[in-house]
Each structure stands twice: as C-alpha cells, then as structure tokens.
Amino acid sequence: MGLYELHRKETCGEADWPLRSLNIRVSVDADFGETPMPGPAQRRAILKGVLHALGGAEEQDVTILSNPIASFTQRKEEGSAWTRPEGIDLRVVKSAHRIVNEVCKRSQSGRAVLASELVGSIGLSAPTIGRLLRPGEQANEYLAQYLVVTPHGRTKALDLTPQGRMLASKIRAGVVPS
C-alpha cells in the first residue's frame, strides 16, 4: 500500500461568500496489489478514486479539527443574533428579506440591480416593493440598514451594505426567515 497526497489551493468567488479560499490537503492510502503501474497511471487512478469518493461526500463527512475563529464567531453571533423587529408584520419582514436575497444574487455580476427588475421575479408586486423602498415607512427603516437605494432614472438602483451581505448569507443558510 502506498501513501500519496493531493494538495490544491482554491480562491473562492462571490457566490461562495463568506468563504474566501480553500487549501485542500488529502492523504490517500492506495493499494494497487501486485500490479506494476507507472507514476502517471497511479496518479490518474488515485485522482479518479478521490473524485468518486468526494462526489458522494456529505456535510457530516467534514470534521472540524481546528477553527481559530470559532470562539470569535460564537461570541459575535450571541451578541448579534437576528431578532424580529417589533411593530412590523412578519410578512413584511419576509418580503424585505426576499429583496435582500435577490439583490445579493443579482449583484454578483457587478452591475446595479434595479428595483423594477425585482417586480414579479420574487413574488412581490410593484406597490409592495415601492412601499418597502419608500422613506418614512417603518418597513423601509428596517430595510435601510441592509440596502443602499440610489435614484436611477425613473426607478431605483439597489446595492447591499456589509450587514446586508451578512443577512443574505443567513437567509440562504435558513437562519433568518424569508
């Protein structure tokens, strides 16, 4: 049985946010029996076996051995856990969260997301989106901490604040209702 190592570094994109990079190091014990194989053939066979094994891997297969930010993250999450804002109907909060999540998805291309583009695509009507983006509305006061709204002709351009990006990741993770 031979011992091999697979080492790969990956830089993650915006779609993987908040994950920035991965440094993968896998040790592989491979048994080719008594079959003589040249080095390149061994590497190809091992890579094929590793890819096959990883294709069926699940979240439970990952074991956290060391996490230097775990204690920091736990303290931060204890102090900043999402709580439902008082005085706002949960349906309105969920609509605001749908806007934040959709702006996060669409802004990955780098261009401005227009409020008019969201009408119908996320199950909200133009009056509902208008009410959520109208200054002075209670729902807008909640949404303003997560969304930057700038005039863009007859519509509005939308972008996320850093808190908005964090909220979008919590929405995708299912921690926050949407």
Side-chain angles (χ1 to χ4, degrees), residues 119-153:
V119 175
S121 67
I122 57 174
L124 299 176
S125 65
T128 301
I129 291 175
R131 189 172 54 252
L132 288 166
L133 300 178
R134 187 176 308 126
E137 294 280 335
Q138 191 175 19
N140 178 262
E141 291 174 16
Y142 170 71
L143 193 55
Q145 61 186 321
Y146 303 116
L147 204 60
V148 176
V149 180
T150 54
H152 191 274

Side-chain angles (χ1 to χ4, degrees), residues 42-109:
Q42 290 178 16
R43 288 194 295 272
R44 278 193 302 275
I46 290 169
L47 182 59
K48 183 178 178 183
V50 167
L51 292 175
H52 178 72
L54 290 178
E58 296 179 1
E59 182 180 335
Q60 297 82 4
D61 296 334
V62 176
T63 303
I64 299 174
L65 301 176
S66 168
N67 189 352
I69 62 169
S71 60
F72 170 76
T73 304
Q74 288 172 349
R75 285 194 309 267
K76 186 176 177 184
E77 286 178 356
E78 287 170 5
S80 66
W82 182 84
T83 55
R84 180 178 163 199
E86 292 183 26
I88 302 177
D89 187 68
L90 186 59
R91 291 174 297 185
V92 175
V93 172
K94 286 181 174 184
S95 296
H97 289 180
R98 276 190 261 156
I99 289 175
V100 168
N101 195 33
E102 191 66 20
V103 168
C104 183
K105 286 180 191 174
R106 290 176 184 243
S107 66
Q108 289 178 2
S109 66

Side-chain angles (χ1 to χ4, degrees), residues 32 34-43 45:
F32 293 105
E34 299 298 318
T35 308
M37 293 180 73
Q42 290 178 16
R43 288 194 295 272

